[in-house]
Structures are given as C-alpha cells and as structure tokens.
C-alpha cells in the first residue's frame, strides 16, 4: 500500500519538485496551499489539496495529520525588511504543527552553511528554521542543498539571445550546484525510506562544477558559443539592486555572495546524498522546457 505525504511550497520550484517525485512513484500526495486556486493543477493530477497558511499552526497541524510524513520549507521573502526574522517565525509554526501532528518523519528543506548564524546572508533563513525545530524538540531531517542551478534562470534570455552568462560567483570557483528536480528526488527518497534519514543530510551535486562549465553545457546544448562574464565584488551591490528586492534583502545577497567567495558557505560534514543530473542534462531541460 502506497503512503500519503504532505508537501508544502508546491507553488515554488522545490516543493513542486518534491510533489512531482512522489506522485511519479505512485505515492499519495497532499499539497498544502494558501488558496485553493493554487492547488487546482495538483488536484487534476490526483493529489489532495488542503488550504492552510504556513504560519497558522492549527490549520497546518490539521493539514499534516494523518500523513506518513511531510516535506516542509519556509518560502523565501524578498519583499520585506527582515526575511530572517520572518523565516524564524515560519520555522516556529512549522515545528509546532509537525510536532502536534506527531508525524513519523519530516524532511525540512535547508541549505549548505545553515550551521552558521551569521555571515551567510539569505542562508541565515535556513539556520533560523533549523533552530526553531531543535528548540521545539520536533523530529526532522534537514535536507541541506547547495546552490540551485535554477538561480541562473533570470539570465537565460541573455544566454539564449546574446550568448552571455553573467555571474556574481567567480567563473572558476568550483562548488556544488544542483537542479531542483534532484532536490525533489532526494526528499522523496528520504520520505519513502529509499535513503537513510539522519538529523542532517547534505545533498551534493553529481560533482563540484564551475560557472564556466555551466556555460560550456549551454554551448553544447545550443550549438553556439557562450561567454561567461564574472562580476567583480565591487559590482555586486549595483547588480543586485537591479533585481527588484527590498533594500534589506539586497544586503543579505551581498553577504551571501561574499560568503560563497571566502569559503564560509561550505558543508559541515554530515550524511551525504548526491544528485544524478549532469550539467548537460540540466541545460537541455532548462533551455527546452
């Protein structure tokens, strides 16, 4: 008999990837959305749809109750002055609800470098969520993921139309990067017992890569040259200011990229899983979807 799993954040890339992975394996999925309209496409695919705000502990508890496990996350907020504190509040609600629902297993999306309380910019949101679960004594596996390849989505038009790939990361800095579909697959593996759960699981890419190698993968898929343009540190603030974020959030992104450059953003050394998608496979998928 297949299990039933609750999944939050299905309106975003990562929650959707987890729900897709579970549905593709024949499991029951209960998606948690803020309004019913956001669940229509999931209902059409056979998922249960429950409306609950992630900050509403009673509603969220009810949404989680009766499932065999859940994939939870704190959606990033780029439009408010203090996204770090907002994540702490959401983490407190997620922890309280999952504990009240007495779930056998909860997989919580986290990030590389979530062990740090400072110096990591927006990654601090994940630290606050982990801290909230630990403070509540709520059972959880923190799935720490590295840099999302989908973060490059905003520059895809430049890649396709002009053959340019700008990057705030040093083009030759080797680091773990991963597509969200591998995160969804790892979450599904942990929830279904195909991978061993642990307090912290670090999800590495298939192998560490560079932005220059990402550019080469785009070249291979498109059949034309791609020039990688590294943005120097002194240009980060100006570049990030063009993203339309709250000024406070812009500062957090500068701090995050500083942490990537100086090595603060790194693994702590826990149980590890590895993604299966190659750069070329991801580039083909993202350019042809």
């Amino acid at each position: 008999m297949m299990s039933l799993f609750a999944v939050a954040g299905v309106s975003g890339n990562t929650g959707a990837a987890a729900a897709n992975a579970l549905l593709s394996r024949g499991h029951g999925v209960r998606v948690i959305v803020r309004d019913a309209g956001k669940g229509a496409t999931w209902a059409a695919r056979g998922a249960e749809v429950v409306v609950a705000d992630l900050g509403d502990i009673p509603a969220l508890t009810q949404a989680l109750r009766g499932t065999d496990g859940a994939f939870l996350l704190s959606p990033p907020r780029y439009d408010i002055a203090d996204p770090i504190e907002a994540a702490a509040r959401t983490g407190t609600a997620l922890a309280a609800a999952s504990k009240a629902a007495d779930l056998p297993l909860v997989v919580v999306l986290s990030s590389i470098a979530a062990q740090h309380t400072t110096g990591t910019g927006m990654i601090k949101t994940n630290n606050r969520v982990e801290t909230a679960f630990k403070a509540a004594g709520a059972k959880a596996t923190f799935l720490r993921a590295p840099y999302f390849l989908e973060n490059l989505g905003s520059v895809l038009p430049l890649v396709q139309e002009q053959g340019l790939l700008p990057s705030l990361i040093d083009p030759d800095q080797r680091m773990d990067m991963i597509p969200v579909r591998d995160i969804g697959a790892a979450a599904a593996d942990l929830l279904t017992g195909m991978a061993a759960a642990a307090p912290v699981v670090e999800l590495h890419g298939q192998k560490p890569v560079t932005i220059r190698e990402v550019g080469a993968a785009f070249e291979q898929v498109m059949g034309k040259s791609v020039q990688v343009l590294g943005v120097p540190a002194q240009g980060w603030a100006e570049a990030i200011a063009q993203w339309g974020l709250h000024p406070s959030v812009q500062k957090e992104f500068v701090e995050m990229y500083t942490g990537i450059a100086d090595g603060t953003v790194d693994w702590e050394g826990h149980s590890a899983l590895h993604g299966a998608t190659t750069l070329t496979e991801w580039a083909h998928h993202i350019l042809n979807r």
Side-chain angles (χ1 to χ4, degrees):
M1 182 177 181
M2 288 298 175
S3 301
L4 173 65
F5 299 102
V7 180
V10 293
S11 297
N13 287 333
T14 317
N20 281 327
L22 290 164
L23 285 170
S24 70
R25 300 179 192 187
H27 292 286
V29 172
R30 178 184 294 169
V31 298
I32 303 170
V33 294
R34 284 186 293 178
D35 63 76
K38 293 182 180 293
T41 57
W42 296 103
R45 295 179 58 190
E48 293 183 24
V49 177
V50 175
V51 177
D53 188 282
L54 297 185
D56 184 337
I57 296 173
L60 186 55
T61 300
Q62 189 60 35
L64 296 175
R65 190 164 282 143
T67 65
D68 296 292
F71 177 70
L72 302 177
L73 53 80
S74 176
R77 295 291 307 274
Y78 302 131
D79 58 336
I80 58 177
D82 196 345
I84 312 302
E85 177 57 31
R89 291 194 301 270
T90 300
T92 297
L94 294 175
S98 62
K99 188 175 182 181
D102 195 26
L103 297 183
L105 180 60
V106 178
V107 175
V108 179
L109 179 65
S110 190
S111 170
I112 184 173
Q115 69 270 21
H116 298 300
T117 59
T118 61
T120 59
M122 286 297 290
I123 293 173
K124 292 183 298 219
T125 59
N126 298 284
N127 172 270
R128 304 307 190 263
V129 172
E130 288 194 13
T131 298
F133 270 81
K134 293 170 186 174
K139 293 179 291 186
T141 288
F142 301 118
L143 180 60
R144 292 184 182 172
Y147 186 86
F148 290 14
L149 280 165
E150 277 72 13
N151 291 339
L152 300 173
S154 62
V155 299
L156 281 181
L158 277 175
V159 173
Q160 293 174 294
E161 297 164 16
Q162 300 181 40
L164 299 175
L165 175 56
S167 172
L168 274 63
I169 298 171
D170 183 328
D172 296 305
Q173 181 175 351
R174 194 163 294 280
M175 57 187 283
D176 273 295
M177 304 182 198
I178 203 160
V180 293
R181 64 180 179 180
D182 281 0
I183 301 172
D189 286 347
L190 289 166
L191 286 170
T192 60
M194 293 181 64
V200 175
V201 174
E202 297 176 341
L203 179 59
H204 297 247
Q206 189 186 54
K207 64 178 182 178
V209 297
T210 68
I211 293 293
R212 203 173 300 282
E213 289 172 340
V214 175
F218 283 140
E219 285 185 340
Q220 183 176 345
V221 173
M222 295 191 302
K224 66 179 185 181
S225 64
V226 173
Q227 182 182 3
V228 178
L229 303 174
V231 179
Q234 57 267 33
W236 290 349
E238 181 180 354
I240 291 169
Q242 308 305 311
W243 297 355
L245 311 174
H246 190 284
S248 296
V249 177
Q250 294 175 30
K251 294 177 183 177
E252 297 294 351
F253 270 93
V254 171
E255 181 178 277
M256 184 185 77
Y257 281 102
T258 300
I260 290 173
D262 68 18
T264 301
V265 176
D266 202 356
W267 301 112
E268 189 175 18
H270 291 275
S271 300
L273 295 176
H274 288 80
T277 305
T278 67
L279 274 184
T280 303
E281 289 169 340
W282 175 79
H284 186 274
H285 169 76
I286 203 75
L287 290 170
N288 294 286
R289 63 181 179 179

